[in-house]
């Protein structure tokens, strides 16, 4: 085929021009994650929560797509109330934040903004304040902490950090998302709802850190555009249900259907506004929120098995780790597929609200 080499050269040249034309702006220049040392199989989680022999629970655990999770379900931890767990959770979240930030090998003196997030607030000072203090950053460093946004957090976190980057392009922004879903898991009781059992089957702990930079030599995907879309009338679909001595993250059975129903129109409108054809998306970074979340997004957007393979792998190895989940998928996408200059990716998150988050990335 005489034109094969020429065609490949033309494609490579075109991608080079595209990458060069989009060189300016905030980039995700680094990604790192930190996991707890304890890894539990689904069988071990069933046993520790007192669900072994419960046919309903065993069926949910087997079908949910999770194989193992990083969790703290020690007898001592489970014996405490949600409030009683707070001091330990605060220490562990900070420890994992520091581990993930250390892995980025950044210069704390160059950080101008720190944005942190967790599902629910554990008090003050926030993780952002603690990181600024730990790394002895400039006292004038901007600090923001977002709570309650959960699985949809990554997009508003990156949006906020990217806005800060545009105002202060000479400084870098640090985004840290940490989650202790162990803190919401409680031992089983006879009165448990199915929603509590579902949450017990899929949630795990995790932490991820991202470094945003607008420096011309920065590597990593460029943040081209982003959007959040809250679906009206769905506030109760995802909620933290806390009672005396018990609590869980409630996920409505219809959540995947609610998110999937309007997703095609939201994605199509987002891409159209930014003059991007759907066929131009090379990498789909889909929230690994659970088996039905991935299946419904795949069906709604007509994605292939390959398009969501990285999301399935993240779900199997970590479960749904809430706030940092999508950052795990993005890191794995970069590590496994090594996107080339000129390629694009679309991040799709689904979380409380119900809120859909979209972020267009370019390499």
């Amino acid at each position: 085929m005489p034109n094969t080499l020429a065609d490949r050269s033309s494609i490579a040249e075109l991608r080079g021009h595209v990458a060069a034309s989009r060189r300016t702006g905030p980039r995700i220049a680094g990604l790192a994650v930190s996991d707890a040392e304890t890894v539990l199989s689904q069988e071990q989680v069933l046993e520790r929560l007192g669900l072994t022999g419960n046919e309903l629970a065993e069926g949910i655990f087997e079908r949910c797509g999770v194989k193992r999770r990083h969790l703290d379900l020690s007898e001592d931890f489970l014996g405490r109330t949600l409030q009683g767990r707070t001091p330990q959770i605060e220490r562990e979240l900070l420890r994992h934040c520091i581990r993930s930030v250390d892995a980025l090998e950044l210069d704390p003196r160059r950080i101008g903004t720190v944005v942190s997030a967790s599902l629910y607030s554990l008090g003050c000072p926030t993780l952002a304040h603690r990181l600024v203090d730990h790394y002895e950053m400039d006292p004038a460093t901007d600090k923001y902490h977002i709570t309650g946004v959960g699985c949809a957090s990554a997009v508003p976190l990156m949006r906020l950090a990217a806005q800060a980057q545009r105002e202060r392009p000479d400084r870098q922004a640090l985004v840290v998302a940490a989650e202790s879903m162990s803190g919401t898991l409680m031992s089983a009781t006879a009165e448990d709802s199915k929603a509590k059992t579902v949450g017990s089957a899929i949630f795990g702990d995790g932490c991820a850190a991202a470094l945003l930079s607008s420096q011309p030599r920065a590597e990593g995907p460029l943040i081209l555009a982003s959007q959040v879309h809250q679906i009206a009338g769905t506030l109760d679909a995802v909620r933290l249900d806390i009672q005396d001595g018990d609590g869980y993250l409630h996920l409505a059975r219809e959540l995947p259907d609610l998110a999937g129903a309007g997703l095609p129109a939201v994605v199509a409108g987002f891409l159209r506004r930014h003059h991007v054809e759907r066929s131009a998306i090379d990498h789909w970074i889909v929230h690994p929120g659970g088996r039905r979340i991935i299946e419904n997004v795949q069906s709604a957007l007509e994605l292939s098995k390959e398009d969501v393979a990285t999301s399935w792998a993240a779900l199997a190895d970590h479960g749904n780790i809430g706030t940092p989940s999508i950052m795990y998928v993005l890191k794995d996408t970069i590590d496994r597929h090594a996107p080339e200059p000129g390629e694009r990716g679309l991040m799709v998150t689904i979380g409380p609200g119900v809120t859909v988050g979209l972020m267009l990335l370019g390499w």
Side-chain angles (χ1 to χ4, degrees), residues 28 154-163 175 210 212 223 327 359:
I28 303 174
V155 171
L157 287 174
M158 296 289 187
R159 280 170 63 92
L160 185 57
Q163 289 168 4
V175 175
L212 270 63
I223 298 176
M327 296 165 72
M359 179 166 286

Side-chain angles (χ1 to χ4, degrees), residues 20-358:
S21 66
R22 300 182 181 275
R23 191 62 185 170
T24 59
R27 287 183 177 272
I28 303 174
L31 276 171
V33 302
S34 175
D35 294 307
E37 290 75 11
T38 303
V39 183
L40 300 178
S41 67
Q42 290 291 72
E43 292 75 16
Q44 289 173 307
V45 177
L46 281 166
E47 180 181 0
R48 297 196 184 193
L49 294 180
L51 290 168
T52 301
N54 182 319
E55 293 186 7
L56 173 64
E58 289 179 343
I60 292 173
F61 272 59
E62 182 179 358
R63 296 189 299 270
C64 69
V66 179
K67 296 185 180 300
R68 63 194 67 84
R69 290 175 278 167
H70 298 265
L71 290 169
D72 181 355
L73 296 180
S74 65
E75 184 176 351
D76 174 66
F77 189 81
L78 285 173
R80 303 182 213 167
T81 64
L82 296 179
Q83 292 80 5
R85 299 172 180 182
T86 297
Q88 179 179 337
I89 291 174
E90 287 184 331
R91 290 192 299 271
E92 286 300 300
L93 288 180
L94 179 61
R95 182 172 73 90
H96 286 294
C97 287
I98 292 171
R99 281 179 54 179
S100 60
V101 173
D102 284 349
L104 293 174
E105 299 182 343
L106 52 78
D107 181 354
R109 296 170 299 180
R110 298 183 62 191
I111 302 297
T113 304
V114 177
V115 185
S116 62
S118 56
L119 178 64
Y120 61 97
S121 176
L122 298 176
C124 62
T126 70
L127 286 173
H129 287 85
R130 295 174 191 226
L131 290 170
V132 169
D133 181 73
H134 175 83
Y135 288 102
E136 299 180 348
M137 296 179 189
D138 185 341
T141 300
D142 289 330
K143 297 167 288 292
Y144 305 95
H145 184 75
I146 296 177
T147 64
V149 187
C151 304
S153 293
V155 171
L157 287 174
M158 296 289 187
R159 280 170 63 92
L160 185 57
Q163 289 168 4
Q165 276 281 283
R166 294 186 178 97
E167 292 181 4
R168 304 177 69 182
D170 58 319
R171 306 295 289 274
Q172 296 175 328
L174 176 64
V175 175
V176 183
E179 211 69 272
S180 173
M181 300 307 293
S182 295
T184 68
L185 299 184
M186 305 293 289
S187 298
T189 68
E191 294 77 27
D192 284 349
S193 66
K194 184 177 180 180
K196 178 180 175 180
T197 304
V198 170
S200 299
I202 65 173
F203 289 117
D205 297 346
C207 176
L211 180 67
L212 270 63
S213 176
S214 295
Q215 297 300 308
R217 295 183 181 180
E219 300 295 333
L222 184 71
I223 298 176
L224 300 174
S226 62
Q227 174 189 328
V228 293
H229 176 85
Q230 184 168 325
I231 302 172
T234 62
L235 290 178
D236 283 341
V238 183
R239 68 177 188 273
L240 192 59
D241 195 338
I242 299 178
Q243 304 168 9
D244 292 341
D246 197 8
Y248 64 96
L249 187 62
H250 172 90
L251 302 179
R253 177 177 177 78
E254 62 271 19
L255 171 62
D257 297 325
L258 288 171
L263 193 57
V266 174
V267 170
F270 174 73
L271 294 178
R272 183 170 58 252
R273 283 191 296 277
H274 297 287
H275 311 289
V276 176
E277 296 291 334
R278 188 183 181 285
S279 59
I281 303 300
D282 303 287
H283 306 282
W284 292 87
I285 302 117
V286 175
H287 172 53
R291 176 179 61 83
R292 292 183 60 226
I293 288 288
I294 298 176
E295 288 176 348
N296 278 39
V297 172
Q298 179 182 355
S299 175
L301 299 180
E302 300 180 342
L303 304 180
S304 68
K305 290 183 179 180
E306 182 179 356
D307 288 331
V308 293
T310 306
S311 298
W312 281 115
L315 179 65
D317 291 338
H318 301 279
N320 179 350
I321 52 177
T323 304
S325 287
I326 201 70
M327 296 165 72
Y328 277 62
V329 180
L330 176 59
K331 184 178 185 301
D332 287 346
T333 297
I334 294 172
D335 291 345
R336 297 181 184 189
H337 300 289
E340 298 180 1
E343 291 187 343
R344 293 187 178 95
L346 185 64
M347 183 187 296
V348 182
T349 64
I350 297 171
V354 170
T355 301
V356 173
L358 301 174

